[in-house]
Amino acid sequence: AVVSTQSTGEVFRQTLASQVLVGSYCSLTNQGGIVHPKTPIEDQDELSSLLQIPLVAGTVNRGSDNVGAGMVVNDWIAFCGQDTTATEISLIESIFKLTD
């Protein structure tokens, strides 16, 4: 899978927890991102450094690792499935800086 930074146009090949479909297993904004729960901390740190945003491993919809498929987020709001737990919502609000 390919991750590209918009500002520099650089392209990086990356997997998340051995998954090549990175768009299904992560959700990113300019504020932060959530990645597949089995993504090694070393990979999280490397990707966080490349993208210059904080990253955290997590799930949505009561434990689903398909984070990118299970939620949509921008700088102001996040939408996720009705099975998403309070703990998952708290993590989403925190990493994407959605609370006042």
Side-chain angles (χ1 to χ4, degrees):
V2 177
V3 175
S4 173
T5 58
Q6 184 176 357
S7 60
T8 62
E10 295 178 78
V11 176
F12 305 97
R13 293 198 178 275
Q14 185 73 31
T15 61
L16 294 173
S18 301
Q19 302 292 330
V20 295
L21 300 174
V22 294
S24 294
Y25 295 98
C26 72
S27 186
L28 307 171
T29 70
N30 294 334
Q31 301 297 316
I34 298 179
V35 297
H36 189 288
K38 293 184 181 175
T39 303
I41 193 70
E42 298 82 19
D43 291 353
Q44 291 178 46
D45 290 343
E46 178 184 3
L47 193 55
S48 177
S49 177
L50 286 172
L51 298 174
Q52 297 295 300
I53 58 171
L55 294 177
V56 65
T59 60
V60 295
N61 296 327
R62 203 175 304 268
S64 172
D65 55 14
N66 290 333
V67 177
M71 66 177 287
V72 175
V73 62
N74 65 21
D75 289 344
W76 300 278
I77 196 165
F79 293 97
C80 49
Q82 68 181 14
D83 289 337
T84 303
T85 66
T87 303
E88 292 168 333
I89 290 172
S90 177
L91 181 69
I92 291 165
E93 290 176 337
S94 174
I95 196 66
F96 294 114
K97 299 175 178 68
L98 298 174
T99 56
D100 292 329

